């Protein structure tokens, strides 16, 4: 296939891959060619963007694959624009090629919360024999947070207030983990921000139940990736409660229920 | 005029030529010319259509270069796919800028009108060298400004109205300076344009 988007992907650098999509760093808009002497393929490039390519799934019927892919790209883009309009910190949409299964997003310059809390970069533990990664981890043990000029508790409070924002907009993220949160580097133009990413599983819901499950998923993610997570998550919940106002009561009650029974309401499946 | 070359696009659509004109004195004439060109038949019609084969965008409604580039890029993607909603890639740019699907309204709001004073002229096509700038200047009477001046010409009141930003909670957060508000508005607008093809 030789569509513009597949040619763009061919020039892009693969960053990570999951079961659903591959994520690339690419350059969409070129720097202008003025000053006449500039070579046709100048190395100067503008802002990078992130490309999320939902690749073709061999195990699905092609017709179903196309429809599902299109619907998922559309769904993710819609969730993101809704977040932006509600003032949630999320990466902006930069291009959409739904038939190709590609979503182009704003590049966020920063590190994942998982990394900042010393949980290592995502996927590191799956890589075999990466000795240099381990060396890195030793001297970053406490350094990354200092570079960002914030404490662990500051990050937790930012997480809580950001989740409260999406829930007040009646958006449920669906996959809250510390890997799906990026602290924007303080020196970037927009300054230090906590940015929520990956809205691939997001949906709209007004139910306190769904919001409670969202929090529960994050609580479990904390427990499984970060040691001594309880005080951290408590801090997230505090900030969340403050920002949710009167809606906190309903979510809090549901959260207690969900903790007792787990994420699934029905016992089916 | 500034030219942007997209190496991954097919040659006939790989170059985007942009020029910003200020103090435009012949907007009404340009509009009439575009209308007439679309009605003329035969070789004269083809010649006239070629002469005004640009996207004429009201520069007051453009908040940043990225805003325009996003619309241009989505229009080119539609053209390559053979999925244009309007007749040409240039009218598609204007349509892509508009937050709704009404073509007439898009052209009335984002295209050239009789009172337009600042115009962004865009041409998508093969590498055309400097002759394109000459063709642009042959149609538009006005001063050429660098694209970097684009944000100075933005009329935020109309932009907010057309993109329906006044109800958005993001802009109502307390303690936002005007600059911050405009940055946020630009973010909303760029994303809106980028995702128009899949908007609900």
């Amino acid at each position: 296939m030789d569509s513009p988007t597949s040619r763009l992907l061919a020039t892009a650098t693969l960053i990570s891959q999951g079961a659903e999509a591959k994520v690339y760093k690419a350059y969409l808009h070129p720097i202008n060619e003025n000053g006449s002497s500039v070579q046709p393929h100048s190395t100067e490039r503008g802002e990078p963007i992130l490309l999320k390519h939902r690749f073709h799934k061999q195990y699905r019927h092609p017709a179903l694959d196309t429809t599902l892919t299109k619907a998922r790209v559309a769904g993710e883009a819609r969730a993101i624009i809704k977040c932006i309009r509600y003032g949630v910190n999320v990466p902006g949409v930069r291009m959409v090629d739904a038939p190709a299964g590609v979503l182009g997003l704003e590049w966020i310059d920063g590190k994942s919360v998982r990394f900042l809390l010393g949980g290592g970069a995502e996927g590191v533990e799956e890589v075999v024999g990466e000795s240099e990664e381990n060396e890195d981890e030793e001297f970053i043990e406490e350094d990354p947070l200092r570079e960002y000029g914030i404490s662990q508790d500051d990050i937790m409070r930012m997480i809580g207030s950001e989740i409260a924002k999406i829930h007040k907009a009646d958006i449920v993220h669906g996959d809250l983990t510390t890997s799906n949160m990026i602290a924007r580097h303080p020196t970037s133009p927009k300054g230090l921000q906590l940015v929520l990413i990956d809205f691939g599983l997001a949906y709209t819901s007004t139910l306190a139940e769904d919001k409670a499950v969202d929090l529960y998923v994050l609580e479990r993610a904390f427990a499984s990736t970060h040691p001594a997570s309880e005080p951290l998550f408590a801090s997230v919940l505090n900030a969340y409660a403050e920002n949710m106002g009167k809606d906190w009561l309903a979510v809090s009650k549901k959260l207690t229920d969900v903790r007792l029974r787990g994420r699934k309401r029905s016992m089916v499946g | 005029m500034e030219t942007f070359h997209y190496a991954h696009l097919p040659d006939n659509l790989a170059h985007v030529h942009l020029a910003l004109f200020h103090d435009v004195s012949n907007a009404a004439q340009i509009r009439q010319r575009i209308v007439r060109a679309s009605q003329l038949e035969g070789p004269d019609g083809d010649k006239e259509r070629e002469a005004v084969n640009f996207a004429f965008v009201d520069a007051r409604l453009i908040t940043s270069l990225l805003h325009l580039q996003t619309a241009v890029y989505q229009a080119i993607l539609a053209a390559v796919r053979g999925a244009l909603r309007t007749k040409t890639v240039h009218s598609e740019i204007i349509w892509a800028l508009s937050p709704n699907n009404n073509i007439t309204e898009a052209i009335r709001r984002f295209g050239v009108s009789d009172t337009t004073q600042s115009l962004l002229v865009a041409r998508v096509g093969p590498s055309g060298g400097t002759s394109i700038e000459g063709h642009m200047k042959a149609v538009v009477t006005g001063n050429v400004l660098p694209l970097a001046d684009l944000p100075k010409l933005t009329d935020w009141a109309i932009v907010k109205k057309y993109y329906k930003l006044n109800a958005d909670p993001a802009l109502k957060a307390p303690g936002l300076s005007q600059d911050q508000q405009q940055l946020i508005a630009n973010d909303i607008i760029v994303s809106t344009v980028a995702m128009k093809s899949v908007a609900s």
Side-chain angles (χ1 to χ4, degrees), chain B:
Chain B
M1 189 187 74
E2 294 175 35
T3 299
F4 299 86
H5 175 229
Y6 291 81
H8 59 279
L9 292 177
D11 284 343
N12 61 333
L13 297 165
H15 292 262
V16 176
H17 311 276
L18 301 174
L20 178 59
F21 288 86
H22 191 45
D23 294 325
V24 175
S25 55
N26 65 338
Q29 193 198 333
I30 298 170
R31 197 183 66 80
Q32 282 161 15
R33 220 177 140 183
I34 300 168
V35 174
R36 188 156 23 85
S38 69
Q39 290 158 346
L40 276 177
E41 286 169 18
D44 279 356
D46 292 340
K47 204 176 147 200
E48 186 63 10
R49 273 189 289 279
E50 183 51 35
V52 292
N53 192 11
F54 299 102
F56 296 93
V57 180
D58 190 334
R60 285 177 313 158
L61 298 175
I62 303 300
T63 56
S64 62
L65 179 59
L66 183 60
H67 178 202
L68 185 78
Q69 281 178 325
T70 306
V72 171
Y73 194 81
Q74 291 297 129
I76 297 176
L77 278 187
V80 174
R81 213 170 263 289
L84 287 178
R85 308 273 195 113
T86 63
K87 289 194 174 168
T88 69
V89 71
H90 294 124
S91 50
E92 193 81 1
I93 293 173
I94 293 172
W95 181 79
L97 285 166
S98 172
N100 67 44
N101 286 331
N102 185 325
I103 297 174
T104 313
E105 186 183 290
I107 292 174
R108 185 157 37 80
R109 289 182 163 183
F110 289 85
V112 56
S113 72
D114 291 352
T115 53
T116 306
Q117 286 172 354
S118 47
L119 261 187
L120 238 170
V121 185
R123 163 76 155 242
V124 177
S127 162
T130 45
S131 69
I132 290 179
E133 185 163 13
H135 291 312
M136 287 178 176
K137 284 177 175 163
V139 181
V140 184
T141 317
N143 305 323
V144 179
L145 294 181
L147 290 179
D149 284 351
L150 204 45
K152 294 181 197 160
L153 302 173
T154 308
D155 185 333
W156 285 95
I158 317 183
V159 167
K160 284 185 185 170
K161 185 180 154 206
Y162 286 177
Y163 283 98
K164 300 193 173 69
L165 301 181
N166 290 315
D168 279 353
L171 295 175
K172 286 182 176 162
L176 287 182
S177 71
Q178 193 179 328
D179 281 357
Q180 285 170 320
Q181 230 187 37
Q182 291 179 354
L183 275 176
I184 295 170
N186 181 51
D187 277 348
I188 299 176
I189 292 166
V190 171
S191 292
T192 306
V193 172
M195 59 96 51
K196 178 169 185 176
S197 62
V198 292
S200 35

Side-chain angles (χ1 to χ4, degrees), chain A residues 47 129 150 186 191 221 250:
Chain A
E47 291 277 295
I150 43 172

Side-chain angles (χ1 to χ4, degrees), chain A residues 176-214:
Chain A
L176 286 175
T177 65
T178 46
S179 313
N180 284 340
M181 302 167 180
I182 297 184
R184 211 190 268 274
H185 199 274
T187 56
S188 59
K190 286 177 187 165
L192 176 72
Q193 274 182 337
L194 186 100
V195 183
L196 298 178
I197 60 164
D198 192 357
F199 285 77
L201 293 172
Y203 59 99
T204 301
S205 168
T206 55
L207 298 178
E209 161 83 22
D210 292 330
K211 296 172 187 176
V213 169
D214 226 13

